[in-house]
Amino acid sequence: MSPVVTLRTVDKIAELIIRPHADLSLQGRLRVPGDKSISHRALMLGAIASGETTIEGLLLGEDPRSTADCFRAMGAEISELNTEKVTVKGIGLGQLQEPQDILNAGNSGTTLRLMLGLLASHPGRFFSVTGDNSLRSRPMSRVIIPLTQMGAKIWGRKQNTLAPLAISGQQLKGIHYHSPIASAQVKSCILLAGLSATGETTVTEPALSRDHSERMLRAFGAKIQVDPATHSVTVSGQESPLKGQSVIVPGDISSAAFWLVAAAIVPGSDLVIENVGVNPTRTGVLEALEMMGADITLENQREVTGEPVADLHVRHSQLQACTIAGDVIPRLIDEIPILAVAAVFAKGTTIIKDAAELRVKESDRLTAMASELNRMGAKINELPDGLEIVGGTPLQGTAVSSYTDHRIAMSLAIAALNAPGMTAIGGAEAAAISYPNFVESLQYLCDD
Ligand code: S3P
């Protein structure tokens, strides 16, 4: 039988070809790479803590590499990145060195936005930061506005809204910021700035976003108070010496989501995804899939360095349409592209709303998913803040584009598993941002 999955790479540009056969089903056990959000935070907190931090299970994707390179350029000693054990020799809070060159966050919004909180709070030091084409078009005012209220001095293109940015570090003062959006990047940026600010810094969000920063800051010794009733977090500045820790990074639920949907839509499938982080601020995807009638059970639940972890067991089932909107959106924000794929194979019309944030991710993910799945035969209408997906129309393989966005590339690959004919995904190299061995895992499940 000819292989289901083939990768053609020319000059670092990859085309992923998928030709499913009629009796394809996905069976077995697999692991996904380390959580991207936790990997960034472990590297950053390790760099600004005193003493040594060790990190097991770090994601080796392009995004954490950008974080490691930026902090190395500011004096942190970070060993070569690997999944076994990375060592970070921290230089202490407020001790980042002025880098000799422009810091480059690559494709990574988390690197740029979180780092900005730290750079802005280094009095007397000057920093400049940039990123790739995508990152240079993503809004930075969401972090520049609160940092400026704290006393930061930041300049950028288009009236201080876009990178490249120039930062003149200042002594900041604590504020209470009511964020107009539920964004962990905004919250974390302000909390990191608050570590060195005078007084207390509080962030209140309209809905709860992922809380990895709060958990890890507390583990490193910061004084953090959380008020779940108002979605508020407070950090006490200048009295929180951070101490290096041992961090074990669980598998990324955002990466596991591709296999959850793959097994749900490909008949006969039965998969166990081991060692996945199931922090409640990230499990919206499990709730949405359960609402759609997916057969998912959590096995072997445990806690690993302050984060809940489980093995996810998923079996094929007929999915039903549902509505995904409101407070759950920040808890599944990165999984909406793959949930759109699930909805294409569900009975009925799925509505995704309150997700305008997807327009300012690595690509405009609403346009990307609607246009590429429609090319394959889906019936999706774009809404200003979401998607209306009429499920149940069979897909057909064709040429599609990743929009150089990792989550679009991988979501289309999963859709292709249930689309007869040949799907060719252009720009599939983007998957390496968060899932460097995605194609190998796909081959292992489809061809071995
Ligand atoms: C992240 C927060 C989310 C998410 C991103 C990672 C983080 O972004 O989309 O992939 O690690 O804090 P927003 O905070 O902008 O929603």
Side-chain angles (χ1 to χ4, degrees):
M1 219 179 304
S2 60
V4 175
V5 181
T6 324
L7 189 70
R8 291 192 201 133
T9 307
V10 180
D11 289 341
K12 295 191 180 158
I13 303 297
E15 187 178 46
L16 178 60
I17 312 280
I18 299 186
R19 290 190 202 91
H21 43 74
D23 52 0
L24 176 68
S25 72
L26 310 175
Q27 311 280 339
R29 303 179 75 87
L30 80 161
R31 285 192 171 222
V32 289
D35 186 276
K36 181 158 78 71
S37 294
I38 298 176
S39 294
H40 283 300
R41 285 158 174 80
L43 289 166
M44 286 190 197
L45 293 195
I48 60 164
S50 53
E52 193 174 278
T53 288
T54 56
I55 311 169
E56 272 178 53
L58 187 88
L59 167 64
L60 301 185
E62 298 297 330
D63 275 8
R65 287 188 194 282
S66 297
T67 293
D69 288 344
C70 288
F71 282 83
R72 283 181 182 129
M74 294 187 286
E77 265 181 56
I78 303 176
S79 67
E80 205 185 306
L81 301 192
N82 62 69
T83 52
E84 280 88 58
K85 186 172 158 192
V86 172
T87 308
V88 183
K89 289 205 178 114
I91 50 180
L93 189 59
Q95 300 301 318
L96 292 175
Q97 300 306 303
E98 200 173 79
Q100 290 178 10
D101 205 344
I102 301 167
L103 297 166
N104 194 335
N107 191 243
S108 174
T110 309
T111 306
L112 208 167
R113 294 196 178 113
L114 269 59
M115 188 167 69
L116 211 53
L118 293 171
L119 306 184
S121 55
H122 274 68
R125 298 200 188 146
F126 186 84
F127 307 89
S128 37
V129 288
T130 191
D132 70 4
N133 283 337
S134 151
L135 191 54
R136 280 186 276 107
S137 68
R138 294 178 65 186
M140 291 301 144
S141 35
R142 55 184 58 200
V143 284
I144 295 176
I145 289 169
L147 288 174
T148 305
Q149 288 174 14
M150 296 175 81
K153 292 216 159 66
I154 302 171
W155 297 266
R157 289 188 304 126
K158 297 261 163 81
Q159 290 164 331
N160 298 339
T161 62
L162 297 180
L165 303 172
I167 302 106
S168 165
Q170 305 292 322
Q171 173 59 58
L172 302 185
K173 57 178 191 304
I175 57 166
H176 186 162
Y177 187 64
H178 293 267
S179 177
I181 41 174
S183 158
Q185 293 182 356
V186 171
K187 173 174 64 179
S188 307
C189 165
I190 300 168
L191 292 176
L192 290 175
L195 287 173
S196 310
T198 53
E200 290 189 336
T201 298
T202 302
V203 186
T204 298
E205 306 188 87
L208 185 61
S209 65
R210 64 192 68 191
D211 69 355
H212 305 299
S213 296
E214 295 88 303
R215 286 172 188 254
M216 203 183 288
L217 276 166
R218 187 176 283 136
F220 274 69
K223 212 173 144 208
I224 295 278
Q225 285 159 269
V226 177
D227 179 1
T230 59
H231 313 306
S232 299
V233 191
T234 300
V235 63
S236 307
Q238 297 189 313
E239 53 172 277
S240 307
L242 302 183
K243 270 199 72 202
Q245 300 293 315
S246 301
V247 180
I248 302 175
V249 183
D252 197 327
I253 192 166
S254 300
S255 299
F258 299 111
W259 308 123
L260 293 176
V261 172
I265 64 171
V266 176
S269 296
D270 186 338
L271 280 182
V272 177
I273 310 143
E274 295 173 347
N275 192 45
V276 181
V278 286
N279 176 318
T281 61
R282 297 285 299 283
T283 48
V285 62
L286 299 179
E287 289 155 39
L289 286 172
E290 272 156 29
M291 243 196 312
M292 297 176 88
D295 178 357
I296 301 173
T297 46
L298 272 64
E299 297 171 354
N300 194 13
Q301 294 193 49
R302 57 215 187 261
E303 186 152 316
V304 180
T305 57
E307 291 278 350
V309 175
D311 300 339
L312 306 181
H313 191 164
V314 52
R315 298 178 185 89
H316 169 261
S317 57
Q318 173 58 57
L319 300 180
Q320 310 295 328
C322 73
T323 296
I324 305 172
D327 283 3
V328 76
I329 294 291
R331 298 175 49 242
L332 48 68
I333 189 77
D334 291 338
E335 291 72 70
I336 290 175
I338 190 64
L339 284 169
V341 172
V344 164
F345 296 101
K347 274 195 186 144
T349 300
T350 293
I351 304 287
I352 300 174
K353 280 193 310 193
D354 306 320
E357 270 296 298
L358 260 73
R359 298 210 181 273
V360 290
K361 293 291 178 190
E362 287 82 331
S363 69
D364 178 338
R365 289 181 171 164
L366 298 176
T367 296
M369 288 312 293
S371 92
E372 300 316 279
L373 287 173
N374 283 347
R375 263 182 220 280
M376 297 173 78
K379 283 196 190 149
I380 304 181
N381 294 320
E382 246 184 86
L383 309 172
D385 64 343
L387 297 171
E388 179 189 48
I389 303 164
V390 183
T393 341
L395 298 192
Q396 179 69 39
T398 188
V400 289
S401 162
S402 75
Y403 282 54
T404 41
D405 181 330
H406 53 130
R407 301 206 196 278
I408 304 301
M410 293 185 276
S411 298
L412 293 172
I414 301 305
L417 296 178
N418 223 0
M422 179 176 111
T423 299
I425 303 160
E429 71 288 348
I433 291 289
S434 62
Y435 202 152
N437 57 339
F438 174 77
V439 174
E440 286 80 353
S441 292
L442 195 60
Q443 282 168 329
Y444 159 76
L445 290 173
C446 296
D447 290 318
D448 277 0

